[in-house]
mmCIF file of all heavy atoms in Angstrom:
data_model
loop_
_atom_site.group_PDB
_atom_site.id
_atom_site.type_symbol
_atom_site.label_atom_id
_atom_site.label_comp_id
_atom_site.label_asym_id
_atom_site.label_seq_id
_atom_site.Cartn_x
_atom_site.Cartn_y
_atom_site.Cartn_z
ATOM 1 N N PRO K 4 -36.616 -2.447 60.310
ATOM 2 C CA PRO K 4 -37.528 -3.051 59.338
ATOM 3 C C PRO K 4 -37.748 -2.105 58.155
ATOM 4 O O PRO K 4 -37.760 -0.894 58.306
ATOM 5 C CB PRO K 4 -38.811 -3.275 60.121
ATOM 6 C CG PRO K 4 -38.707 -2.428 61.317
ATOM 7 C CD PRO K 4 -37.260 -2.154 61.576
ATOM 8 N N ASN K 8 -44.528 2.381 51.701
ATOM 9 C CA ASN K 8 -45.696 3.255 51.702
ATOM 10 C C ASN K 8 -46.835 2.601 50.913
ATOM 11 O O ASN K 8 -46.688 1.531 50.324
ATOM 12 C CB ASN K 8 -45.336 4.636 51.152
ATOM 13 C CG ASN K 8 -44.860 4.581 49.713
ATOM 14 O OD1 ASN K 8 -45.030 3.581 49.049
ATOM 15 N ND2 ASN K 8 -44.258 5.659 49.261
ATOM 16 N N ARG K 10 -48.337 3.354 48.108
ATOM 17 C CA ARG K 10 -48.140 3.210 46.661
ATOM 18 C C ARG K 10 -47.336 1.955 46.341
ATOM 19 O O ARG K 10 -47.618 1.254 45.380
ATOM 20 C CB ARG K 10 -47.433 4.433 46.093
ATOM 21 C CG ARG K 10 -48.294 5.641 46.028
ATOM 22 C CD ARG K 10 -47.562 6.775 45.371
ATOM 23 N NE ARG K 10 -48.324 8.003 45.533
ATOM 24 C CZ ARG K 10 -47.866 9.189 45.277
ATOM 25 N NH1 ARG K 10 -46.625 9.352 44.850
ATOM 26 N NH2 ARG K 10 -48.622 10.254 45.437
ATOM 27 N N SER K 11 -46.356 1.682 47.132
ATOM 28 C CA SER K 11 -45.540 0.491 46.904
ATOM 29 C C SER K 11 -46.365 -0.779 47.108
ATOM 30 O O SER K 11 -46.243 -1.746 46.341
ATOM 31 C CB SER K 11 -44.342 0.482 47.846
ATOM 32 O OG SER K 11 -43.527 1.592 47.612
ATOM 33 N N VAL K 13 -49.671 -1.066 46.782
ATOM 34 C CA VAL K 13 -50.629 -1.162 45.674
ATOM 35 C C VAL K 13 -49.928 -1.648 44.416
ATOM 36 O O VAL K 13 -50.432 -2.519 43.696
ATOM 37 C CB VAL K 13 -51.333 0.195 45.447
ATOM 38 C CG1 VAL K 13 -52.143 0.192 44.159
ATOM 39 C CG2 VAL K 13 -52.218 0.539 46.632
ATOM 40 N N ALA K 15 -47.249 -3.474 44.220
ATOM 41 C CA ALA K 15 -46.908 -4.889 44.388
ATOM 42 C C ALA K 15 -48.135 -5.774 44.158
ATOM 43 O O ALA K 15 -48.047 -6.813 43.487
ATOM 44 C CB ALA K 15 -46.338 -5.120 45.787
ATOM 45 N N CYS K 20 -51.376 -9.544 40.905
ATOM 46 C CA CYS K 20 -52.674 -9.869 40.276
ATOM 47 C C CYS K 20 -52.513 -10.057 38.771
ATOM 48 O O CYS K 20 -53.092 -10.978 38.182
ATOM 49 C CB CYS K 20 -53.694 -8.780 40.571
ATOM 50 S SG CYS K 20 -54.242 -8.765 42.285
ATOM 51 N N ALA K 21 -51.741 -9.188 38.120
ATOM 52 C CA ALA K 21 -51.523 -9.313 36.678
ATOM 53 C C ALA K 21 -50.811 -10.623 36.358
ATOM 54 O O ALA K 21 -51.158 -11.310 35.391
ATOM 55 C CB ALA K 21 -50.719 -8.120 36.158
ATOM 56 N N GLY K 23 -50.933 -13.373 38.136
ATOM 57 C CA GLY K 23 -51.901 -14.446 38.362
ATOM 58 C C GLY K 23 -52.882 -14.582 37.220
ATOM 59 O O GLY K 23 -53.209 -15.692 36.781
ATOM 60 N N ALA K 25 -52.415 -13.626 34.093
ATOM 61 C CA ALA K 25 -51.692 -14.128 32.919
ATOM 62 C C ALA K 25 -51.447 -15.636 33.034
ATOM 63 O O ALA K 25 -51.605 -16.379 32.050
ATOM 64 C CB ALA K 25 -50.372 -13.385 32.763
ATOM 65 N N ALA K 37 -58.021 -30.502 21.931
ATOM 66 C CA ALA K 37 -58.106 -30.329 20.479
ATOM 67 C C ALA K 37 -59.412 -30.944 19.987
ATOM 68 O O ALA K 37 -59.876 -31.954 20.522
ATOM 69 C CB ALA K 37 -56.924 -31.003 19.804
ATOM 70 N N PRO K 38 -60.045 -30.333 18.986
ATOM 71 C CA PRO K 38 -61.283 -30.906 18.467
ATOM 72 C C PRO K 38 -61.041 -32.290 17.875
ATOM 73 O O PRO K 38 -60.033 -32.514 17.201
ATOM 74 C CB PRO K 38 -61.745 -29.918 17.399
ATOM 75 C CG PRO K 38 -60.548 -29.111 17.060
ATOM 76 C CD PRO K 38 -59.639 -29.145 18.254
ATOM 77 N N GLU K 41 -64.027 -35.897 12.887
ATOM 78 C CA GLU K 41 -65.301 -36.599 12.738
ATOM 79 C C GLU K 41 -65.050 -38.030 12.275
ATOM 80 O O GLU K 41 -64.221 -38.286 11.403
ATOM 81 C CB GLU K 41 -66.183 -35.878 11.722
ATOM 82 C CG GLU K 41 -66.749 -34.590 12.260
ATOM 83 C CD GLU K 41 -67.841 -34.044 11.355
ATOM 84 O OE1 GLU K 41 -68.522 -34.854 10.687
ATOM 85 O OE2 GLU K 41 -67.988 -32.835 11.314
ATOM 86 N N ASP K 54 -82.451 -37.241 7.958
ATOM 87 C CA ASP K 54 -83.891 -37.251 8.204
ATOM 88 C C ASP K 54 -84.235 -36.476 9.478
ATOM 89 O O ASP K 54 -85.173 -35.684 9.508
ATOM 90 C CB ASP K 54 -84.382 -38.694 8.294
ATOM 91 C CG ASP K 54 -85.890 -38.788 8.393
ATOM 92 O OD1 ASP K 54 -86.595 -37.946 7.790
ATOM 93 O OD2 ASP K 54 -86.378 -39.714 9.078
ATOM 94 N N THR K 57 -83.844 -32.761 8.896
ATOM 95 C CA THR K 57 -84.981 -32.253 8.124
ATOM 96 C C THR K 57 -86.191 -32.028 9.036
ATOM 97 O O THR K 57 -86.848 -30.990 8.963
ATOM 98 C CB THR K 57 -85.346 -33.232 6.995
ATOM 99 O OG1 THR K 57 -84.200 -33.420 6.170
ATOM 100 C CG2 THR K 57 -86.502 -32.713 6.167
ATOM 101 N N GLU K 61 -88.076 -28.463 9.868
ATOM 102 C CA GLU K 61 -89.523 -28.259 9.698
ATOM 103 C C GLU K 61 -90.171 -27.836 11.008
ATOM 104 O O GLU K 61 -91.018 -26.954 11.030
ATOM 105 C CB GLU K 61 -90.168 -29.539 9.181
ATOM 106 C CG GLU K 61 -89.815 -29.881 7.746
ATOM 107 C CD GLU K 61 -90.331 -31.247 7.330
ATOM 108 O OE1 GLU K 61 -90.978 -31.941 8.148
ATOM 109 O OE2 GLU K 61 -90.083 -31.635 6.171
ATOM 110 N N LYS K 67 -93.920 -22.365 17.660
ATOM 111 C CA LYS K 67 -94.652 -21.266 18.276
ATOM 112 C C LYS K 67 -93.970 -20.840 19.578
ATOM 113 O O LYS K 67 -94.431 -19.969 20.267
ATOM 114 C CB LYS K 67 -96.081 -21.698 18.568
ATOM 115 C CG LYS K 67 -96.841 -22.168 17.354
ATOM 116 C CD LYS K 67 -97.650 -21.057 16.766
ATOM 117 C CE LYS K 67 -98.624 -21.536 15.729
ATOM 118 N NZ LYS K 67 -98.072 -21.959 14.483
ATOM 119 N N GLY K 70 -93.356 -25.647 22.597
ATOM 120 C CA GLY K 70 -93.706 -27.025 22.273
ATOM 121 C C GLY K 70 -92.576 -27.971 22.594
ATOM 122 O O GLY K 70 -91.472 -27.569 22.940
ATOM 123 N N ARG K 90 -75.357 -39.333 18.899
ATOM 124 C CA ARG K 90 -74.943 -38.624 20.117
ATOM 125 C C ARG K 90 -73.900 -37.555 19.776
ATOM 126 O O ARG K 90 -73.963 -36.434 20.278
ATOM 127 C CB ARG K 90 -74.389 -39.614 21.133
ATOM 128 C CG ARG K 90 -74.119 -38.994 22.487
ATOM 129 C CD ARG K 90 -73.719 -40.029 23.506
ATOM 130 N NE ARG K 90 -74.837 -40.932 23.754
ATOM 131 C CZ ARG K 90 -74.742 -42.254 23.776
ATOM 132 N NH1 ARG K 90 -73.590 -42.842 23.572
ATOM 133 N NH2 ARG K 90 -75.793 -43.000 24.014
ATOM 134 N N ARG K 92 -73.502 -36.026 16.921
ATOM 135 C CA ARG K 92 -74.086 -34.960 16.079
ATOM 136 C C ARG K 92 -75.040 -34.063 16.853
ATOM 137 O O ARG K 92 -75.066 -32.859 16.648
ATOM 138 C CB ARG K 92 -74.833 -35.610 14.904
ATOM 139 C CG ARG K 92 -75.510 -34.635 13.993
ATOM 140 C CD ARG K 92 -74.482 -33.818 13.241
ATOM 141 N NE ARG K 92 -75.111 -32.917 12.346
ATOM 142 C CZ ARG K 92 -75.212 -31.608 12.586
ATOM 143 N NH1 ARG K 92 -74.703 -31.083 13.658
ATOM 144 N NH2 ARG K 92 -75.818 -30.823 11.725
ATOM 145 N N ASP K 96 -73.737 -29.809 23.856
ATOM 146 C CA ASP K 96 -72.657 -28.898 24.162
ATOM 147 C C ASP K 96 -72.006 -28.241 22.945
ATOM 148 O O ASP K 96 -70.946 -27.713 23.030
ATOM 149 C CB ASP K 96 -71.575 -29.603 24.980
ATOM 150 C CG ASP K 96 -70.904 -30.722 24.196
ATOM 151 O OD1 ASP K 96 -71.473 -31.154 23.188
ATOM 152 O OD2 ASP K 96 -69.830 -31.166 24.618
#
Side-chain angles (χ1 to χ4, degrees):
N8 62 14
R10 287 184 190 168
S11 298
V13 170
C20 289
E41 287 192 29
D54 186 34
T57 302
E61 290 173 0
K67 302 265 191 288
R90 188 174 295 133
R92 178 68 178 104
D96 64 343

